[in-house]
Amino acid sequence: QKEVEQNSGPLSVPEGAIASLNCTYSDRVSQSFFWYRQYSGKSPELIMSIYSNGDKEDGRFTAQLNKASQYVSLLIRDSQPSDSATYLCAVSFYFGSGTKLNVKP
Amino acid sequence: DAGVIQSPRHEVTEMGQEVTLRCKPISGHNSLFWYRQTMMRGLELLIYFNNNVPIDDSGMPEDRFSAKMPNASFSTLKIQPSEPRDSAVYFCASTPPGQTYNEQFFGPGTRLTVL
């Protein structure tokens, strides 16, 4: 399977801070990139998709894509305790192992 | 509208038994995916179908695993015989027609325990 790499964490940030999640991938021809959020015991749900180089913003979330570096990231501004979850990076249909985020009140 | 439906939600079986997991995709979606999730290996793609045809089954771990999609509204993943290392959460996901790689909508998963 195509390689999608993420730091497993946990990443701990205080409430109100910016959380930065990173992902690298191996397949240079990939065209579609996604970030999913998965709460413990639940199924993954999409929070962001990005297809072109650059930044894409949606509310408190910003996805960044750099195809030359094969790198995609997710920034969460004003982090809330409710953001505590595992964040999965997906390249096409292939998923990284996820980064666990803890937002401390 | 109903999301992706999976059954059963929990399955406990003994080694050597046959296990069948079921999935009903969202109506109108034309691609269906089976994933397995464990702590050690994360979310692994097992197989996916497009318009009921298997496109890529390279993730199926071995011949004990088989998947079918007899029509647009139903798919099964069968493990025969089951082994303790098959214990995992199995997710089914579907995507609507359109661009090649779309957002996936996941079912609630089936938690399989093989004793």
Side-chain angles (χ1 to χ4, degrees):
Chain A
Q1 293 199 352
K2 299 179 178 24
E3 294 292 325
V4 181
E5 300 288 340
Q6 294 182 254
N7 187 320
S8 62
L11 172 66
S12 292
V13 300
E15 184 175 354
I18 296 175
S20 178
L21 305 165
N22 305 312
C23 172
T24 59
Y25 60 94
S26 62
D27 185 7
R28 286 190 168 275
V29 301
S30 296
Q31 296 293 321
S32 304
F33 306 86
F34 307 92
W35 283 98
Y36 288 78
R37 178 176 60 200
Q38 186 176 26
Y39 292 112
S40 181
K42 302 296 185 182
S43 54
E45 57 177 342
L46 182 78
I47 51 173
M48 289 288 286
S49 60
I50 186 166
Y51 304 98
S52 303
N53 277 329
D55 295 358
K56 179 182 179 182
E57 186 174 317
D58 184 0
R60 296 186 296 113
F61 299 96
T62 299
Q64 299 174 315
L65 174 61
N66 184 324
K67 292 184 179 180
S69 300
Q70 296 174 245
Y71 177 90
V72 59
S73 65
L74 179 70
L75 299 178
I76 306 175
R77 289 181 300 281
D78 188 24
S79 296
Q80 300 298 308
S82 59
D83 295 326
S84 297
T86 296
Y87 288 80
L88 301 169
C89 171
V91 178
S92 304
F93 309 136
Y94 302 97
F95 284 77
S97 57
T99 298
K100 186 174 177 62
L101 173 66
N102 292 327
V103 181
K104 298 173 290 185
Chain B
D1 286 340
V4 175
I5 298 172
Q6 291 186 248
S7 65
R9 294 292 307 276
H10 301 272
E11 176 82 26
V12 180
T13 190
E14 293 190 347
M15 182 174 61
Q17 296 298 304
E18 178 179 299
V19 174
T20 299
L21 311 182
R22 297 173 176 80
C23 176
K24 176 178 170 57
I26 294 173
S27 177
H29 284 195
N30 69 336
S31 293
L32 182 141
F33 304 79
W34 282 101
Y35 288 91
R36 176 173 68 177
Q37 188 173 40
T38 61
M39 289 292 292
M40 291 297 296
R41 300 175 68 89
L43 194 61
E44 299 175 277
L45 176 64
L46 300 177
I47 185 171
Y48 79 90
F49 297 84
N50 185 256
N51 294 324
N52 312 337
V53 176
I55 302 300
D56 184 356
D57 65 355
S58 59
M60 296 286 263
E62 48 198 272
D63 292 346
R64 297 184 298 108
F65 285 69
S66 62
K68 294 182 180 180
M69 191 165 186
N71 56 61
S73 59
F74 184 66
S75 177
T76 59
L77 178 68
K78 185 177 294 186
I79 308 173
Q80 166 63 18
S82 57
E83 297 182 3
R85 61 190 167 125
D86 301 331
S87 297
V89 179
Y90 290 81
F91 287 105
C92 175
S94 68
T95 64
Q99 60 188 49
T100 305
Y101 299 109
N102 269 328
E103 169 188 1
Q104 293 179 300
F105 294 80
F106 282 80
T110 295
R111 182 172 295 278
L112 173 64
T113 302
V114 183
L115 303 175

